[in-house]
Amino acid sequence: MPCESCMERGNKSTDAALEFLLLGFSELLFLRVLLFLIFLIVHLVTLAGNVMIFMAVVMEPSRPPMLFFLCHLSVIELCYTLVIVPKALLSLIGVDGRAISFTGCAVQMYLFVALGGAECFLLVAMSYDRYVAICQPLHYAAVMSEGLCLRLAMACCLGGFAVALGLTMAVFRLPFCQSHRINHFFCDVPAVLHLACTQSYIHELPLLAACVLLLLLPVLLILTSYVCIAAALLRVTSVGRCKAFSTCISHLAVTLLHYGCATFIYIRPKASYSPARDKMVSLVYTNITPLLYPLIYSLRNKEIRGVLRKMLRRRKISQLTRDTNSAVICVW
């Protein structure tokens, strides 16, 4: 983005004094109250849904690999929404947006990319779980052991956080223009890059590398898993084929939602940046999709439905026990 004066940050005092202003939805003055209420309700429902899945899986004594990965996915979604949505809600309360420090913006971007990257890798691990379950059912228990699942989950988190660290450092080493007004409701990578005082595409290479590692490579691995699954399903009867494929529907739906929005936002040149369009897509990406994930898995996944039924049954039994004990005490 061309500008007349750029601020080179050559010392730590300049970094500490530099602030960004998140404009959020400042152009929608008359809809702020409505947007605030909608965001708040969606945020609370998302938190409740992911906490419910997390608690249900944790309380289950025997956890199959898919439930183990769903538990980690719920934790990532919880942290993911807590990084973005509270700041967005505060931006709706403010009159002219909300100021965020240089360090705060960097931390928010780092956590956002790290958690999103960990989710990308976790979806790959879940596709591998489906591949082993359908293509190698007799070896499933031996291959998808508890130790392997734990190592896969740790590798997903470490991979996401490592890529996020490199991308965040590359972005915040750029010189920024005097205008530090970010036309977004959080410190997203394209929105911050738009403030950089450079027209060279070299500075977009770290984002391109991150997209290759977090989007392109995982998508290719997931496609490879499902090509193998499709080839294996062609050799079974139609009844078995439908039953096996039904176990993949929830994972496919979440994968399409996650990678669809992320690809639209990040895999494109800086010149095509559109603040209004990006904010709307990011709104879906950071608020609606985390809300849909618990609904998709609770409706389509037989294992998670069974775990939720067990949890509700235990709550009913404990409630009946308490009521019975209270009645006995009253009689005495």
Side-chain angles (χ1 to χ4, degrees), residues 57-302:
V57 175
V58 168
M59 292 170 64
E60 183 67 16
S62 59
R63 288 188 290 273
M66 182 53 74
L67 288 185
F68 178 83
F69 291 132
L70 281 177
C71 182
H72 281 77
L73 184 65
S74 295
V75 173
I76 289 174
E77 288 301 325
L78 280 171
C79 299
Y80 187 79
T81 54
L82 288 173
V83 167
I84 302 300
V85 179
K87 194 71 178 178
L89 291 173
L90 288 176
S91 70
L92 289 171
I93 297 175
V95 178
D96 296 316
R98 297 289 299 183
I100 185 170
S101 66
F102 176 86
T103 304
C105 189
V107 169
Q108 187 184 53
M109 180 186 292
Y110 171 68
L111 292 175
F112 172 74
V113 176
L115 293 168
E119 185 173 340
C120 289
F121 292 136
L122 191 61
L123 290 173
V124 176
M126 294 169 76
S127 71
Y128 177 70
D129 171 78
R130 292 299 84 203
Y131 161 75
V132 177
I134 294 173
C135 299
Q136 303 178 24
L138 299 179
H139 303 285
Y140 179 72
V143 174
M144 298 303 296
S145 62
E146 185 177 349
L148 177 64
C149 293
L150 184 59
R151 288 193 296 271
L152 286 174
M154 290 180 62
C156 292
C157 293
L158 291 175
F161 278 80
V163 174
L165 180 61
L167 177 60
T168 306
M169 290 178 63
V171 170
F172 282 89
R173 287 177 59 188
L174 298 174
F176 293 105
C177 298
Q178 290 287 355
S179 175
H180 299 139
R181 299 163 69 87
I182 300 177
N183 194 0
H184 214 297
F185 57 90
F186 72 100
C187 291
D188 199 9
V189 180
V192 177
L193 276 178
H194 192 64
L195 299 181
C197 292
T198 175
Q199 292 180 299
S200 174
Y201 286 100
I202 296 177
H203 297 294
E204 295 185 49
L205 291 179
L207 177 58
L208 178 62
C211 289
V212 170
L213 292 172
L214 299 180
L215 296 177
L216 183 59
L217 181 60
V219 165
L220 291 177
L221 292 173
I222 292 173
L223 284 176
T224 303
S225 296
Y226 276 103
V227 167
C228 295
I229 289 172
L233 291 180
L234 290 175
R235 296 191 295 268
V236 301
T237 61
S238 59
V239 176
R241 188 182 307 156
C242 294
K243 185 177 180 182
F245 185 73
S246 65
T247 64
C248 305
I249 291 178
S250 55
H251 177 262
L252 278 172
V254 170
T255 300
L256 290 173
L257 280 172
H258 183 79
Y259 286 104
C261 293
T263 301
F264 180 82
I265 293 176
Y266 300 112
I267 302 184
R268 61 175 183 195
K270 177 182 171 183
S272 63
Y273 173 72
S274 172
R277 182 181 59 191
D278 277 29
K279 276 193 290 188
M280 294 307 298
V281 178
S282 297
L283 187 63
V284 175
Y285 189 61
T286 58
N287 290 271
I288 306 302
T289 54
L291 172 66
L292 294 177
Y293 290 173
L295 295 176
I296 291 171
Y297 276 110
S298 59
L299 292 175
R300 295 298 311 173
N301 190 280
K302 184 173 67 176

Side-chain angles (χ1 to χ4, degrees), residues 21-23 25-29 32 90-98 181:
L21 184 67
L22 293 171
L23 298 182
F25 298 93
S26 55
E27 69 274 16
L28 304 175
L29 292 175
R32 283 190 173 186
L90 288 176
S91 70
L92 289 171
I93 297 175
V95 178
D96 296 316
R98 297 289 299 183
R181 299 163 69 87

